[in-house]
Each structure stands twice: as structure tokens, then as C-alpha cells.
């Protein structure tokens, strides 16, 4: 066997959000390949493995000279091409890593060199049982959620940083609001459980429509990116407190919340984006506002999504862990 390849992992946002999670889980996979890979600093690396493309284009290109560049597709690939920086992609990135079947098909259509390594999730942290044995009822009580509430969770970063009063097009936050309003009118006792930074727009609009919610964090007027990113363990507790996790994105690379909710064995409803069709059963997917409302109401009335929980969990355990990616 030859000398291990020297690899530099790259692309951290240093804020504990999704890209940092991708970086850490990739590191865990590579650390299990000691006969093939040695993790090094940038200067001595033969390969740079980045979890997203943007910082590669901003880097001094002389630092990349002579190195092979591997990069994850961390968002919808066709949307990424709306960024003028992607003009440099072919000259910079030698191998793309698709983490969802949608990304693999897009890479194939564009004739980009690629491989397929699915998104992974930390199943030691995101698991059905709380390490300290805290029950769902106890978590809800701690969050001051009424016992009779139908708890719908959502943990997206869904307002723009440059204008916290605007919802991000990608996350479909206005669709989330309309689903909430309609369920409320249909007498479903919805209580939204929100976490994460930049939730200003959805909080304001839920209040305006008198829809109860709990925000786990500190409400501030300005940008709270550095203040309201919770630990993975805390987010996992919030999944455990949920009756349903709702994702309304218009496009995604992940979303990572699909993996996390499925790993915790929580029912999920998600648009047909990114990795969602790879993990979720058809019953857990929706394409229209009416379909989402109908499926959420069925879950409230009769646990209609419960039969999806175990198969989705089994898919995570089989294909979407750091060990599976080795």
C-alpha cells in the first residue's frame, strides 16, 4: 500500500451551523481511512476537500496551484449557477461530491466529474431517546408548551441577514405561515416550536395571526446569528418534543433537518427538494399548499404519518452516517 494522501479539509463557517456539521462529519469519515488519508494543513496538502464552493473561489488561487480540489454540492446545483463566481468552477474544482440523488443527476447533466457520497448525520446525538431519559412531556413542560397542543417544529434560518424583515425565498417561510394559518382555522391546536437564528419574520407574522409558538432562544431586534445557534443536543431535544417537523423549502442541497428528524424518529413533512426524496416516503412529501395542510391535519387526527417513521429511520442508519460514508 502506498503513502497516504495528504488532505486539507476546508469550508468552515465557524458558527456551528450546517456547513460546520458537514465538515465535522466528513472529518470523522476520513479519520477512519488512516491507510489512505492523512489530514494536514493547507500548505502541505495534495488534496483540498471543501464542503462548499464559495470560499474556494475567494481563496488566493496560488494557494491552490498543484493541488487536487474536491468539493461538495451543498445547495441546489442549478441555483448555485446563478452566482457569477461559478464561472470559475470548471477551472477550480476537479471532482464534485453529490450528497443527494438530485445533485447527482444535475452533475451528470452538466457533465461535471463527480462521485456520490450521501449526506450523513450524527446518530449518536440525533437519536430517539434522550441521554438523561427526559420524556417528551418533560421537554414540552420545560418549553412551556401546553399538553394539548399539536407541536409543529421548524428550525430553518429563514430571514435574510441584510434585511431581517424579509423571508428568504429558498426556505418558503411564507408557505410555512399559510399552512399554520389554515390549520389554525381548521381548529387544529397548532403550537409552533421554533429555534435557530434569523427567525424574525416568522415570529412577527405568527403573532400577527394569533398563532401560538415557542421560540427557544433570545429575541433580539438585530442579527442574532452569533447568539441563537443552539447546540446539536438542544436541537435534538426540540425534535423529541415535536408531533411533526415541517419543511417548506423551494430548493435545497439538504435540508439537514430531514436527516435529523428522521434519525430522531419524528414524523416529517417536506417539499420534494434536495435529499428529501432519498430518505422520506411519499407520504412524507408534498408539492402543494393544500397537500401539506391535508397531510398535517391527518397526522393530528390519527397519527397518519406514524408508519413512515421506522422505514425513514432505517434508511438513515443504513446510508447516512459517517461510518456508512467511509
Amino acid at each position: 500500500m502506498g503513502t497516504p494522501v495528504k488532505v486539507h479539509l476546508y469550508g468552515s463557517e465557524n458558527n456551528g451551523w450546517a456547513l460546520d456539521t458537514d465538515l465535522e462529519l466528513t472529518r470523522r469519515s476520513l479519520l477512519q481511512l488512516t491507510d489512505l488519508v492523512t489530514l494536514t494543513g493547507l500548505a502541505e496538502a495534495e488534496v483540498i476537500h471543501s464542503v462548499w464552493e464559495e470560499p474556494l473561489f475567494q481563496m488566493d488561487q496560488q494557494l491552490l496551484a498543484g493541488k487536487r480540489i474536491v468539493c461538495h454540492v451543498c445547495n441546489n446545483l442549478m441555483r448555485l449557477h446563478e452566482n457569477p463566481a461559478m464561472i470559475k468552477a470548471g477551472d477550480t474544482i476537479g471532482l464534485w461530491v453529490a450528497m443527494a440523488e438530485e445533485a447527482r443527476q444535475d452533475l451528470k447533466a452538466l457533465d461535471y466529474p463527480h462521485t456520490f457520497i450521501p449526506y450523513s448525520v450524527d446518530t449518536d446525538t440525533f437519536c430517539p431517546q434522550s441521554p438523561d431519559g427526559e420524556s417528551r412531556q418533560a421537554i414540552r413542560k420545560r418549553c412551556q408548551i401546553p399538553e394539548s397542543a399539536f407541536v409543529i417544529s421548524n428550525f430553518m434560518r429563514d430571514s435574510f441577514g441584510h434585511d431581517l424583515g424579509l423571508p428568504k425565498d429558498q426556505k418558503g417561510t411564507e408557505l410555512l405561515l399559510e399552512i399554520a394559518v389554515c390549520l389554525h382555522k381548521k381548529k387544529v391546536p397548532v403550537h409552533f416550536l421554533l429555534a435557530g437564528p434569523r427567525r424574525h419574520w416568522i415570529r412577527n407574522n405568527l403573532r400577527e395571526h394569533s398563532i401560538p409558538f415557542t421560540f427557544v432562544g433570545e429575541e433580539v431586534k438585530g442579527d442574532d446569528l452569533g447568539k441563537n445557534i443552539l447546540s446539536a443536543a438542544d436541537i435534538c431535544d426540540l425534535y423529541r418534543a415535536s408531533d411533526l417537523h415541517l419543511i417548506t423549502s423551494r430548493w435545497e442541497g439538504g435540508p439537514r433537518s430531514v436527516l435529523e428528524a428522521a434519525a430522531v424518529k419524528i414524523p416529517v413533512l417536506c417539499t420534494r427538494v434536495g435529499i428529501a426524496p432519498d430518505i422520506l416516503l411519499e407520504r412524507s412529501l408534498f408539492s402543494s399548499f393544500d397537500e401539506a395542510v391535508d397531510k398535517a391535519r391527518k397526522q393530528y387526527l390519527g397519527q397518519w404519518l406514524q408508519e413512515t417513521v421506522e422505514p425513514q429511520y432505517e434508511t438513515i442508519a443504513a446510508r447516512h452516517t459517517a461510518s456508512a460514508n467511509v
Side-chain angles (χ1 to χ4, degrees):
M1 185 172 291
T3 303
V5 176
K6 297 176 181 178
V7 176
H8 176 66
L9 271 178
Y10 191 63
S12 175
E13 282 191 298
N14 295 312
N15 61 14
W17 203 244
L19 289 168
D20 290 347
T21 299
D22 288 344
L23 190 75
E24 174 56 26
L25 292 171
T26 302
R27 184 188 310 278
R28 292 186 195 180
S29 295
L30 291 175
L31 287 174
Q32 297 182 55
L33 295 169
T34 53
D35 291 341
L36 300 175
V37 171
T38 298
L39 297 181
T40 70
L42 175 62
E44 60 267 40
E46 300 166 278
V47 173
I48 296 177
H49 187 140
S50 183
V51 296
W52 63 315
E53 76 296 330
E54 192 169 320
L56 289 174
F57 304 145
Q58 297 172 352
M59 185 186 290
D60 183 344
Q61 295 302 293
Q62 291 184 349
L63 297 176
L64 304 180
K67 303 179 190 300
R68 298 184 181 218
I69 312 299
V70 178
C71 186
H72 292 186
V73 180
C74 69
N75 206 334
N76 178 279
L77 188 65
M78 299 310 182
R79 290 284 180 171
L80 287 179
H81 277 76
E82 296 175 2
N83 184 347
M86 285 295 289
I87 294 172
K88 302 178 181 179
D91 295 331
T92 303
I93 298 167
L95 182 70
W96 289 91
V97 177
M99 297 185 289
E101 184 60 35
E102 178 185 72
R104 175 155 60 176
Q105 294 303 320
D106 286 344
L107 288 164
K108 184 178 179 181
L110 292 170
D111 198 26
Y112 281 3
H114 64 276
T115 190
F116 181 65
I117 306 173
Y119 271 101
S120 63
V121 61
D122 179 0
T123 51
D124 291 332
T125 298
F126 291 97
C127 57
Q129 301 301 321
S130 175
D132 60 7
E134 188 176 24
S135 68
R136 173 177 295 193
Q137 291 74 21
I139 299 170
R140 289 187 180 191
K141 185 176 181 179
R142 173 158 54 84
C143 294
Q144 298 182 325
I145 298 172
E147 289 186 18
S148 60
F150 180 62
V151 180
I152 300 178
S153 58
N154 178 277
F155 308 138
M156 294 287 191
R157 186 171 72 187
D158 55 25
S159 291
F160 282 107
H162 66 271
D163 188 340
L164 296 166
L166 287 177
K168 292 175 70 173
D169 298 340
Q170 178 180 357
K171 302 302 181 182
T173 323
E174 71 276 27
L175 175 58
L176 180 73
L177 175 67
E178 290 305 317
I179 293 170
V181 170
C182 193
L183 289 171
H184 190 60
K185 288 180 178 178
K186 290 179 179 290
K187 307 303 182 184
V188 177
V190 290
H191 187 107
F192 275 76
L193 181 55
L194 307 176
R198 297 177 180 170
R199 308 308 310 268
H200 299 64
W201 187 90
I202 189 64
R203 291 197 306 260
N204 291 338
N205 280 273
L206 287 172
R207 284 196 181 99
E208 184 177 323
H209 289 85
S210 301
I211 296 172
F213 71 92
T214 295
F215 173 66
V216 181
E218 181 182 346
E219 291 199 34
V220 296
K221 290 184 179 180
D223 194 355
D224 58 350
L225 185 62
K227 184 181 293 289
N228 279 325
I229 294 179
L230 303 183
S231 71
D234 287 340
I235 286 288
C236 191
D237 275 346
L238 302 185
Y239 281 116
R240 295 186 183 111
S242 307
D243 292 305
L244 175 67
H245 193 74
L246 179 60
I247 304 162
T248 54
S249 299
R250 291 186 171 92
W251 69 89
E252 286 283 355
R256 178 158 290 285
S257 50
V258 165
L259 296 107
E260 294 170 350
V264 182
K265 293 190 177 181
I266 295 300
V268 185
L269 276 180
C270 184
T271 43
R272 290 175 170 83
V273 295
I275 201 171
D278 299 358
I279 296 172
L280 302 180
L281 274 61
E282 180 62 25
R283 185 170 283 206
S284 297
L285 300 168
F286 67 91
S287 299
S288 71
F289 165 81
D290 289 337
E291 187 181 8
V293 171
D294 179 60
K295 289 184 173 183
R297 187 167 179 269
K298 284 180 178 178
Q299 174 63 11
Y300 165 66
L301 292 174
Q303 296 292 303
W304 188 71
L305 291 167
Q306 204 58 38
E307 67 184 51
T308 67
V309 167
E310 197 62 38
Q312 290 166 181
Y313 174 81
E314 291 173 358
T315 297
I316 293 292
R319 301 188 62 219
H320 297 280
T321 66
S323 294
N325 278 351
V326 169

